Amino acid sequence: MAEKTCNLKIDIERCKGCLLCIEVCPVKILKASEHVNKRGIQYVVLTDPEKCTGCTLCAMMCPDCAITIE
Amino acid sequence: MKDAPTHYCPGCGHGLVHRLICECIDEMGLRDTTIAVAPVGCAVLAYDYWDFDTTEAAHGRTPAVATAIKRVHPKNLVFTYQGDGDLAAIGTAEIIHAGNRGENISVIFVNNGVYGMTGGQMAPTTLLGQRTATSQFTRRSDKEGFPLKIMEMMQVLPGVTYLERTSIHSPKEVINAKRAIKKSFQTQINGNGFSMVEIISPCPTYWGMTPVRSMKRIKEEVMEEYELGVVKDAS
Ligand SMILES: Cc1ncc(C[n+]2csc(CCOP(=O)(O)OP(=O)(O)O)c2C)c(N)n1
């Protein structure tokens, strides 16, 4: 298995479900969860961490600083 | 940014612009010497999110307050953060005269084309044909006039140094907006005078569309009226 190069974290309590990150992800590995957070918002989840290229486009478009990439 | 969730609606551009400003200030190492002036509008609580000194001014009067702060503290970075209702409606006089005096301040102008805080009423910047709470039959030029282009108005003032219109509808534009904000701050640090960055920003709630659709609207409709790019650069 290839070594993971990046570590994408989504703070589900900060996420407001605007879905702008899904739109810009070049490898389409973000999707709306079937669950809601404490505020009743359908947050975004990462479906396939292995495929993440660490391009940071999702974090760049996030209006709520909910995505961090290391 | 402070570790506090913002009160903005999902997909609102204010959160993104707040973050860009914070990134610029941190990258330039100015956190201890920055004084911001927050507007009246949705961003009225900006000081709850920014981890540097911020004060609040009456509606539209941030350039006047910033003028005073900058003259008393010339070594500090002083910038105003204003919406289009704040800057282009009630505060038109203040912004024009601050520019005309060539005050050495930076202005971040977030243009979402409506009065967000008070319920999506028409602003001077609203597009023709756009339906808002106070233009139920959409904005018509014979009754409500034309979209007001403050940047182009300010361009002719000799006191103004740097003007640029940017957007945040795609990652490329976000990077560009950040570069423009940084350049505006640098213009002030170099003592080159008045600079202003307009950022076209979405208001999904009062545009009545999803955040993703709002970003598309900026690209397809708003940018048709408000052309992006450097409007003036004498820095
Ligand atoms: C002197 C005065 N007049 C009117 C208001 C009401 N008011 C509050 S916010 C606002 C409009 C703000 O719109 P904008 O600057 O576009 O910011 P946004 O909320 O869209 O970010 C108005 C008219 C006020 N607070 N004070």
Side-chain angles (χ1 to χ4, degrees), chain B residues 14 40-43 59 83-87 90 112 114-118:
Chain B
H14 279 304
V40 170
C42 289
H59 204 5
D84 49 313
D86 191 78
L87 185 143
I90 194 167
N112 59 13
V114 286
Y115 288 5
M117 188 197 205
T118 45

Side-chain angles (χ1 to χ4, degrees), chain B residues 117-145:
Chain B
M117 188 197 205
T118 45
Q121 290 86 354
M122 191 188 77
T125 44
T126 300
L127 298 189
L128 291 177
Q130 183 176 338
R131 191 185 303 277
T132 69
T134 47
S135 59
Q136 285 292 314
F137 302 105
T138 76
R139 183 174 192 178
R140 298 152 300 179
S141 57
D142 58 335
K143 298 240 167 23
E144 290 94 17

Side-chain angles (χ1 to χ4, degrees), chain B residues 31-46:
Chain B
R31 207 192 286 197
D32 295 332
T33 52
T34 297
I35 305 173
V37 189
V40 170
C42 289
V44 68
L45 298 174

Side-chain angles (χ1 to χ4, degrees), chain B:
Chain B
M1 295 274 286
K2 288 183 192 160
D3 189 19
T6 64
H7 69 283
Y8 301 118
C9 306
C12 173
H14 279 304
L16 214 164
V17 179
H18 283 12
R19 194 193 75 222
L20 292 184
I21 292 172
C22 292
E23 285 176 4
C24 290
I25 286 177
D26 274 356
E27 284 165 25
M28 297 170 88
L30 300 170
R31 207 192 286 197
D32 295 332
T33 52
T34 297
I35 305 173
V37 189
V40 170
C42 289
V44 68
L45 298 174
Y47 39 77
D48 281 352
Y49 313 128
W50 288 337
D51 206 0
F52 43 79
D53 288 339
T54 308
T55 184
E56 173 63 46
H59 204 5
R61 272 78 215 207
T62 47
V65 173
T67 297
I69 295 174
K70 184 69 187 181
R71 288 188 182 193
V72 176
H73 299 285
K75 290 211 175 75
N76 290 57
L77 177 85
V78 180
F79 77 91
T80 75
Y81 183 101
Q82 303 180 259
D84 49 313
D86 191 78
L87 185 143
I90 194 167
T92 320
E94 278 72 16
I95 194 70
I96 299 267
H97 289 292
N100 195 34
R101 293 192 305 269
E103 295 298 341
N104 192 22
I105 57 170
S106 303
V107 176
I108 311 298
F109 169 29
V110 180
N111 180 358
N112 59 13
V114 286
Y115 288 5
M117 188 197 205
T118 45
Q121 290 86 354
M122 191 188 77
T125 44
T126 300
L127 298 189
L128 291 177
Q130 183 176 338
R131 191 185 303 277
T132 69
T134 47
S135 59
Q136 285 292 314
F137 302 105
T138 76
R139 183 174 192 178
R140 298 152 300 179
S141 57
D142 58 335
K143 298 240 167 23
E144 290 94 17
F146 294 89
L148 193 66
K149 293 183 186 156
I150 293 281
M151 294 303 246
E152 280 76 1
M153 285 164 65
M154 306 272 294
Q155 185 187 9
V156 298
L157 303 176
V160 174
T161 305
Y162 169 60
L163 299 169
E164 180 163 354
R165 185 180 285 125
T166 63
S167 168
I168 50 167
H169 69 270
S170 71
K172 177 176 159 232
E173 298 303 337
V174 170
I175 294 170
N176 195 40
K178 182 172 164 185
R179 181 201 49 76
I181 294 172
K182 228 182 218 173
K183 176 156 181 187
S184 165
F185 290 167
Q186 195 60 50
T187 303
Q188 181 183 153
I189 292 167
N190 296 349
N192 286 342
F194 189 90
S195 61
M196 179 156 124
V197 179
E198 173 173 346
I199 302 169
I200 311 275
S201 170
C203 179
T205 303
Y206 292 114
W207 290 3
M209 46 184 80
T210 63
V212 172
R213 178 77 194 89
S214 300
M215 292 302 192
K216 290 212 176 81
R217 177 179 183 263
I218 294 185
K219 189 161 177 239
E220 289 159 10
E221 296 175 38
V222 187
M223 271 171 58
E224 288 289 298
E225 182 68 37
Y226 295 99
E227 217 175 295
L228 304 190
V230 178
V231 181
K232 178 170 184 177
D233 189 359
S235 63

